[in-house]
Structure formats: C-alpha cells, structure tokens
C-alpha cells in the first residue's frame, strides 16, 4: 500500500526550503541596503529634522537643499565650492587613465597571448607581480618620479600613476581572454597578408567586447574610487572627488551637516554605480567567457 | 615538369631540441605531397616552415624556383587550410573569403567576382552572409578551402584539414579534396596522421618520425616496400605482420623457419629473396596471407596454423594466429570457414614479403 501523503510531504518540504532560502536572501539584501537607505533618507532631510528625529525614519518634508550644497557650496577647508570642481577633476583624470590603461593592456595581452616571443612568460609574470604590490610601497618612488617628470601635483601626473598601476590588471584580463583564442587564427591572417595591427584591429578587437567591458568597469571603479594616490599626488585645485569628499566631511566648522555629507557621498559614488548598471551584464558575461565556449 | 617545392637540408630547433633534422623533400608542379607520421613527428612544424610561419634553423626552401627561405608568409604565394579551420569568427563567410584580397588591396569588383566563382565552385553561395558559428563542420571546412582558393596560389598547404570532422564527412571531404586537386592541377602539401588519407590522396608520401624522414615514395612503394620497420608498422590497417624468423639463405633461395605457438619450427621456402642474415624480421601484409584451399601457386607457401581469433569485418574476415611470438593477422574472404581454436591451412605469398634487419630495422630485400 502506498500512502498518498508520502508523495506530497517531500514536495512541501522542498517548497518550504525554497521559500526559506528566498527569505534569507531577501533579508541579507535588505541588510546590505540599510546604509544606502539611511544615506538617501538623511540626505533628503533638513538638519533640524536629523537632530530631532530617528535615524531610519523617512523624511517628513523632502528637501534637496543638502544636495545643492554638496554639489555647489559645501566647504572643504577654506574653499566653499562644493564637490563640483573636484567631480570634474575626477572625470578628467579617470577617463584618460581608463582609456590609456585599457588600450595598453589590450595590446600587451594580445602580444603575450598570441605573438609568443622569448621571455614572454617572464614579462607576464612580472606584470602579474605588479598587481600585488601594495599602493603604499610605491608612494615615495612615485613622488620622486613625478617630480623628475615635472608632473607632480597635476592631473596628467595622476593619470600617469593610475595607468602604470593599472597595466598589470588590464594585461592580465586581456591576456587570459586572448589565450583562449586558437593561434591558428593569427597564422591564417598572416598567410592572408595581414600585419600585427591589422590582425588586431580586424580580428581580435571585434571579439573583445566582453573583456573590454570587464576591464573598463574594473579600471573605472579602481581609479574613480582611489583615495590614496589622489591625496598623495594632488594639490589644491587638482584633487579628485574622493579627496574633496573627505575634506568636506572632515572640515568641521560649527555643526556637522550630516545631510550634506550623505548627499556628497552619494554624488561621489554615483558614477561607478552608473557604469555598473549600464555595463554590468557585460561584466558577468566577460567574467564567465571562455568557461562556456563551445 | 618543373619543380615547385624544393626543401634542402632543412633543420629546425627549439633551443636545444631538434624538431626537424636534415629534411630533403621536393615536389613537382601538380604533385600531391602528403606528410604523414605519428603526433609529435614534426610534420606540422615542417608545413609551418614551408608556409613561413616558423623560421628554420638551417637549410633552404625554394618555392616555384625562388628562394623563399626568409620570405614572409604573405609573399610566398601559398594558401593554407588549418585543422581548426581558423575562420575569423566575427566576419561573415564572404568577408572571411575576401579578407586576404582586401588586405592586399584588390579592387572591390574583382573581389566580388572571385568570391562568386569560388562560392559557386564549392557550393557555398547560400552561406555567404552567415557567421562561422552558424555553420556545420563540413561547411566551415568548405569556407576554409574557399579562402585558400580565392588566392589562386602556386601551392596549397593543408594542416590536418579533416581531423575535426566525423568519419562519414571525412570520407566525403577527402574525395572532394582529391577532386579539387584533379580539377585545379595545383601543387598541394598535406599533413595528416591518418595513413588512409595519405594513401588515398598522395602522389607522393613523406613518412616522418622524430623529425627524420623515414621514406619518400609513391603510396604503392611506401605500402609495398616500406623502408624500415617503422614505416611497415605505421602504414596500413591492420598493420603489416612483423614476424621474427630464422632465415637460411642459399644463393637466391632462402629457407625461412617460423616458430608456431607450439611444437617445432616450420620451414617455408622463399624462392624470391636470398642473401639474408640469419636473424631477420619477416614482414607480410594481412592480405598476402590467404586460405590455402583458395590460393595456390609457386609464389605461395602453405603452413598449418592454429587460429586464435576470428574477427568478421563485413567485407573481410580477419583471423589472428600466433607465430614467432607475435600475433599474425590474415585478411580472409568473408565466406571463410575459419573457427577459433581450430587449425587452418594458410598460404603465404612470398613474392610480396619484406625482410627487415633485426638490429637496425632497415629493409633488407
């Protein structure tokens, strides 16, 4: 005799487990979102309300004053221009640094993976080693180098630093991607008469979108969010947004303007969130590329 | 006929590793030269050297009478088809085929007309807008061949072009390549590890092992008169039987003593070969051993053998016996009454046997 409930019981059990799993995942997601929630609500409150109210309560009256202040008139040290000039510094610094380091990494990876030469693996290992050198170690030598090059305290100087530091990672990404492409492709193109750059431009670059996205997101996040190089190698007027944010938050003249600080933090973090939202699907695709190749 | 390919004293080293040693190979216009050997024998490296994709460490390569030893691949007037097809993945079939012409700056009108004629020849007209990933293996191979054809080269190089195809398609494409060679009359150099491909396609076979040429000759010569034990064993399926025997030569006649699985050695008379050393290895193809009741004559010698195994293979039946301490396979007609465990009179055709030195492995007759 078979008991009909014997069939139903494991199924219900499975269903309960499934829901439990979802519940736990949702709980974790909410937990991770709490800081963002606090930041956003706080940035929309007036100072009076913050002082009076509950940290996690929704704003009674929504005001964008704090955002306006953070963007255009918050004080960092003696200047009260908000984040705006520093935000543009960051843009001017990040865009060329990302572009140059990605480009160099792409060509490096192409050479190391597809144009094997004597010592290619050694050079690759050394570049890889560069990925593991902590930022702090290079501060002093880099300061000297920038001084000799006449780039100390300038945005091109910061671009230079980030390009140098990024090449290890970008080369690694591209090399690992190109190494999965059969070498016969280059051979066929050579027989067809194409040269080094023609082969790259016509055959490899069109294949590279996923890894290009991974590299751009990675580099953009690293360079935009960098604080240490920014604070070490910049001077008044060339500081990136992360340094300005720090200055705004730490300049205490009178009351702490939590709403302004929160708004400034969100503004400073916005570009990386934006890049990930736009190109995120390529990021996942790029990371898993190769593993599912037919 | 003029000489199309002339390779002289070619050496190729990777550091201290010698991959190719003193290779001398030539091909006349219209030849189908097949480089064959087990994996790692250097056959693909040799092809890459001919293409100019690998530099050589010594010797020279002439193509069409010109010294091409240090010339770029693109200037050697060759076209190459690769094992993995090496189609450019982001380009359409049409662009794959015309890429080379585009690089060389051929006018668009000419590119299109050549594309059309090649597409027609290979029956891939309907595929021209597709990407390589949307093609089957056989179609990809056709496109790869098309890419070589539009070049109108002096010489075609094929690097194991059929080994990624399934068995049935491989036979089809093999025929097509043979037909192509016939129609174009072009010189082709073809690398394969498959000795059947080598036999069916080649006008000349080069057998390689460990970077050394073992034998160069027509398929018939390589099959009938292998130069050494390696070639004898490598070419042909099932392989040539290689039986250690005792030979007693008296002038031009030899008495050959073969040890059966049990009992005293049996003596057969070879009326065709003499002057052999005592310890030799007798090579005989499975098809040169027949059932004695069906085959008789002066060139054959009979011997009663105990059959260990019978393998029907459709058209033929293989029977395996044990002679001289080795498995010996005979290819019999499928109607054979041979049964395993029983004895059978077998006829050995001594007009077709080979003898090899037991010490050097070189051919003796």
């Amino acid at each position: 005799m078979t008991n009909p409930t014997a069939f139903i019981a494991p199924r219900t059990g499975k269903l309960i487990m499934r829901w439990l799993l979802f519940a736990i995942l949702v709980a974790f997601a909410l937990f991770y979102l709490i800081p963002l929630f606090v930041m956003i609500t706080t940035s929309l409150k007036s100072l009076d309300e913050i002082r009076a109210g509950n940290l996690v309560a929704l704003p009674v009256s929504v005001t964008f004053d704090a955002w306006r202040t953070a963007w255009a008139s918050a004080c960092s040290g003696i200047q009260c221009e908000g984040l705006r000039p520093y935000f543009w510094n960051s843009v001017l610094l990040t865009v060329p640094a990302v572009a140059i380091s990605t480009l160099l990494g792409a060509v490096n990876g192409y050479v190391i993976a597809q144009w094997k030469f004597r010592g290619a693996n050694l050079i690759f290992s050394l570049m890889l080693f560069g990925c593991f050198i902590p930022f702090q170690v290079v501060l002093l030598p880099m300061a000297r180098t920038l001084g000799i090059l006449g780039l100390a305290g300038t945005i091109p100087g910061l671009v230079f630093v980030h390009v140098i530091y990024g090449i290890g990672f970008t080369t690694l990404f591209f090399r690992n991607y190109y190494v999965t492409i059969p070498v016969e492709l280059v051979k066929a193109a050579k027989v067809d008469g194409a040269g080094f750059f023609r082969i790259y431009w016509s055959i490899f670059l069109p294949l590279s979108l996923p890894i290009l996205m991974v590299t751009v997101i990675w580099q953009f996040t690293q360079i935009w969010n960098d604080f240490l190089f920014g604070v070490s190698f910049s001077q008044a007027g060339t500081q990136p947004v992360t340094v300005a944010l720090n200055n705004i938050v730490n300049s205490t003249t009178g009351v702490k303007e939590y709403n302004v600080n929160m708004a400034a933090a969100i503004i400073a973090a916005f570009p990386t969130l934006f890049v990930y939202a736009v190109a995120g699907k390529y990021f996942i695709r790029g990371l898993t590329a190769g593993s599912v190749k037919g | 006929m003029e000489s199309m390919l002339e390779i002289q004293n070619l050496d190729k080293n990777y550091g201290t590793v010698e991959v190719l040693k003193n290779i001398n190979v030539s091909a006349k216009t219209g030849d189908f030269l097949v480089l064959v050997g087990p994996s790692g024998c250097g056959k693909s490296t040799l092809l890459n050297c001919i293409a100019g994709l690998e530099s050589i460490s010594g010797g020279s390569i002439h193509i069409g009478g010109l010294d091409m030893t240090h010339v770029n691949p693109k200037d050697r007037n060759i076209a190459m088809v690769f094992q993995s097809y090496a189609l450019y993945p982001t380009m359409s079939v049409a662009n794959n085929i015309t890429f080379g012409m585009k690089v060389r700056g051929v006018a668009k009108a000419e590119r299109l007309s050549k594309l059309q004629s090649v597409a027609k020849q290979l029956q891939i007209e309907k595929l021209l807008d597709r990407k390589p990933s949307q093609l089957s293996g056989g179609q990809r191979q056709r496109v790869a061949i098309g890419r070589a054809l539009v070049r109108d080269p002096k010489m075609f190089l094929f690097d194991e072009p059929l080994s990624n195809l399934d068995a049935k398609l491989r036979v089809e494409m093999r025929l097509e390549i043979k037909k192509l060679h016939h129609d174009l009359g072009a010189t082709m150099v073809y690398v394969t590890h498959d000795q059947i491909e080598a036999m069916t396609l080649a006008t000349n076979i080069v057998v390689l092992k460990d970077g050394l040429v073992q034998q160069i000759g027509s398929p018939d010569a390589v099959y009938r008169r292998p130069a050494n034990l390696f070639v004898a064993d490598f070419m042909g399926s099932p392989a040539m039987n290689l039986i250690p025997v005792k030979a007693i030569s008296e002038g031009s006649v030899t008495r050959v003593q073969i040890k059966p699985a049990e009992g005293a050695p049996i003596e057969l008379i070879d009326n065709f070969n003499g002057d052999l050393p005592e310890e030799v290895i007798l090579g005989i193809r499975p098809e040169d051993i027949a059932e004695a009741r069906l085959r008789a004559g002066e060139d054959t010698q009979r011997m009663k053998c105990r059959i260990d195994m019978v393998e029907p293979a459709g058209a033929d039946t293989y029977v395996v016996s044990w002679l001289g301490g080795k498995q010996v396979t005979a290819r019999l007609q499928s109607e054979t009454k041979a049964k395993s465990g029983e004895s059978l009179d077998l006829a050995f055709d001594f007009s077709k046997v080979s003898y090899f030195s037991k010490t050097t492995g070189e051919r003796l007759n």
Side-chain angles (χ1 to χ4, degrees):
Chain A
M1 279 298 284
T2 51
N3 183 356
T5 54
F7 291 100
I8 295 163
R11 224 184 258 176
T12 353
K14 236 180 196 173
L15 212 62
I16 291 170
M17 287 306 286
R18 186 47 48 110
W19 279 102
L20 195 68
L21 183 70
F22 283 141
I24 292 170
L25 287 175
V26 167
F28 269 105
L30 288 175
F31 180 70
Y32 282 114
L33 282 171
I34 287 172
L36 185 66
F37 172 78
V38 172
M39 283 172 79
I40 292 172
T41 50
T42 308
S43 73
L44 296 174
K45 290 173 187 171
S46 66
L47 256 187
D48 290 336
E49 200 184 323
I50 291 168
R51 255 181 254 119
N54 188 343
L55 187 68
V56 288
L58 287 169
V60 179
S61 59
V62 173
T63 165
F64 289 95
D65 286 347
W67 286 76
R68 243 168 263 133
T69 313
W71 179 243
S73 64
C75 297
S76 56
I78 45 167
Q79 273 144 334
C80 295
E81 304 168 287
L83 278 181
R84 186 169 48 191
Y86 307 102
F87 190 91
W88 293 121
N89 279 350
S90 271
V91 172
L92 288 176
L93 145 75
T94 308
V95 171
V98 170
I100 294 169
S101 61
T102 303
L103 199 75
L104 287 176
V107 176
N108 280 346
Y110 168 56
V111 171
I112 289 171
Q114 294 283 335
W115 294 71
K116 292 259 157 65
F117 55 93
R118 194 181 283 262
N121 280 334
L122 179 73
I123 288 182
F124 179 60
S125 317
L126 289 176
M127 284 186 143
L128 209 56
F129 189 65
C131 298
F132 298 105
I133 296 174
F135 278 29
Q136 290 80 354
V137 174
V138 296
L139 282 182
L140 284 176
M142 190 54 86
R144 277 289 289 154
T145 310
L146 289 176
I148 292 165
L149 293 174
L151 293 173
T154 64
I155 287 179
L158 272 174
V159 170
F160 178 78
V161 174
H162 283 297
V163 167
I164 298 286
Y165 214 88
I167 282 177
F169 288 99
T170 56
T171 303
L172 170 71
F173 290 153
F174 279 100
R175 180 264 180 199
N176 286 354
Y177 188 75
Y178 290 147
V179 96
T180 63
I181 296 171
V183 285
E184 289 188 340
L185 226 49
V186 169
K187 287 185 178 177
K190 274 190 194 166
V191 173
D192 265 342
F196 180 87
F197 286 108
R198 183 66 184 256
I199 296 175
Y200 188 70
W201 186 255
S202 300
I203 296 163
F204 281 82
L205 198 60
L207 280 173
S208 307
L209 185 68
I211 199 65
L212 207 62
M213 285 298 167
V214 169
T215 313
V216 165
I217 292 175
W218 175 267
Q219 282 298 92
F220 189 92
T221 312
Q222 291 292 310
I223 297 172
W224 185 276
N225 286 346
D226 163 69
F227 177 74
L228 187 65
F229 286 155
V231 79
S232 311
F233 302 129
S234 65
Q235 59 194 31
T238 62
Q239 286 146 334
V241 71
T242 45
V243 177
L245 175 65
N246 174 67
N247 292 350
I248 287 174
V249 173
N250 286 335
S251 312
T252 41
T253 47
V255 279
K256 266 253 186 226
E257 295 181 296
Y258 287 110
N259 50 358
V260 173
N261 292 352
M262 295 301 178
I266 294 170
I267 290 169
F270 179 72
T272 49
L273 286 176
F274 178 75
V275 165
Y276 188 78
V278 169
K281 64 175 179 180
Y282 293 102
F283 191 70
I284 306 291
R285 226 181 275 168
L287 286 181
T288 54
S291 55
V292 287
K293 246 181 80 184
Chain B
M1 287 255 216
E2 63 175 303
S3 160
M4 176 54 71
L5 175 67
E6 198 73 52
I7 299 173
Q8 284 171 342
N9 307 330
L10 183 147
D11 291 312
K12 169 77 186 166
N13 311 327
Y14 289 118
T16 55
V17 185
E18 293 182 302
V19 194
L20 294 170
K21 296 162 218 166
N22 196 28
I23 306 279
N24 287 284
V25 169
S26 64
K28 290 196 281 295
T29 304
D31 268 2
F32 200 120
L33 188 71
V34 173
L35 312 176
V36 68
S39 56
C41 71
K43 55 191 189 297
S44 283
T45 309
L46 180 55
L47 195 74
N48 279 322
C49 290
I50 297 171
L53 293 167
E54 299 261 12
S55 61
I56 63 175
S57 316
S60 67
I61 297 171
H62 285 72
I63 298 172
L66 301 170
D67 186 355
M68 294 287 187
T69 313
H70 302 293
V71 174
N72 261 330
K74 67 183 164 85
D75 299 322
R76 294 195 181 201
N77 210 348
I78 47 138
M80 193 157 169
V81 177
F82 296 88
Q83 180 179 359
S84 67
Y85 321 128
L87 299 179
Y88 310 129
T90 54
M91 294 185 202
S92 67
V93 167
N95 285 336
N96 259 285
I97 292 173
T98 55
F99 179 69
M101 289 191 281
K102 215 167 165 180
V103 172
R104 288 194 302 279
V106 175
K108 197 172 181 189
E110 195 189 336
R111 292 206 305 256
L112 282 177
S113 79
K114 277 202 164 172
L115 171 68
Q116 288 308 328
S117 76
V118 164
K120 202 170 168 197
Q121 188 177 358
L122 293 170
Q123 296 160 7
I124 50 172
E125 292 144 300
K126 285 182 185 145
L127 308 175
L128 292 180
D129 294 328
R130 298 221 196 139
K131 290 278 168 65
S133 57
Q134 298 165 306
L135 303 178
S136 69
Q139 290 170 332
R140 285 180 206 187
Q141 192 52 265
R142 262 167 219 275
V143 175
I145 291 171
R147 196 166 60 179
L149 279 180
V150 284
R151 195 127 195 214
D152 204 6
K154 277 194 180 157
M155 197 161 68
F156 288 91
L157 308 179
F158 292 90
D159 190 359
E160 307 214 19
L162 305 184
S163 32
N164 281 2
L165 301 175
D166 62 57
K168 189 162 177 288
L169 207 53
R170 201 177 308 162
V171 175
E172 272 177 49
M173 289 303 289
R174 195 170 77 200
L175 267 173
E176 280 199 40
I177 290 176
K178 186 152 183 152
K179 188 166 171 292
L180 202 66
H181 174 246
H182 183 263
D183 294 349
L184 296 172
T187 316
M188 296 185 172
V189 183
Y190 188 105
V191 163
T192 181
H193 63 266
D194 180 350
Q195 43 89 21
I196 296 178
E197 260 173 48
M199 292 291 296
T200 50
L201 289 171
T203 58
N204 251 321
I205 294 180
V206 179
V207 186
L208 285 159
K209 184 202 170 199
D210 298 336
L212 281 168
V213 172
Q214 304 293 310
Q215 187 171 7
I216 302 179
S218 68
D220 195 55
V222 170
Y223 189 74
R224 292 278 159 221
R225 299 181 57 79
N228 56 37
L229 279 175
F230 171 77
V231 179
D233 189 45
F234 187 75
M235 301 299 290
S237 174
M240 184 184 257
N241 296 301
L242 299 166
I243 314 161
V245 297
K246 198 168 185 186
I248 299 150
S249 284
E250 285 154 1
S252 63
V253 176
T254 304
R255 286 184 287 137
V256 178
Q257 294 180 348
I258 304 179
K259 257 180 113 126
E262 290 157 5
I266 295 169
E267 195 167 88
L268 302 178
I269 309 296
D270 181 349
N271 290 313
F272 298 88
N273 301 291
D275 296 326
L276 295 169
E278 200 176 274
E279 298 281 319
V280 292
I281 289 173
L282 171 74
I284 183 162
R285 294 274 174 205
E287 61 269 29
D288 296 330
I289 308 175
E291 259 183 280
R293 65 181 173 98
L294 299 171
R295 179 105 167 64
E298 275 212 354
D299 47 356
T300 62
Q301 289 281 313
R302 287 161 165 250
M303 181 171 169
K304 199 177 255 312
C305 300
R306 210 177 73 95
I307 305 301
D308 287 332
M309 220 182 341
V310 178
E311 293 181 313
D316 306 300
T317 296
Y318 300 115
V319 301
V320 177
S321 186
W322 199 263
L323 293 174
K326 294 269 182 178
Q327 276 191 24
V328 173
T329 305
R331 181 183 239 152
L332 306 183
Q333 292 179 349
S334 55
E335 299 86 33
T336 180
K337 298 272 179 337
K339 282 204 181 75
S340 69
E342 291 181 4
S343 286
L344 187 68
D345 258 349
L346 291 176
F348 290 67
D349 186 344
F350 271 92
S351 67
K352 291 177 179 160
V353 297
S354 304
Y355 290 99
F356 301 100
S357 159
K358 208 167 187 178
T359 46
T360 63
E362 294 301 313
R363 184 182 185 84
L364 295 170
N365 64 328

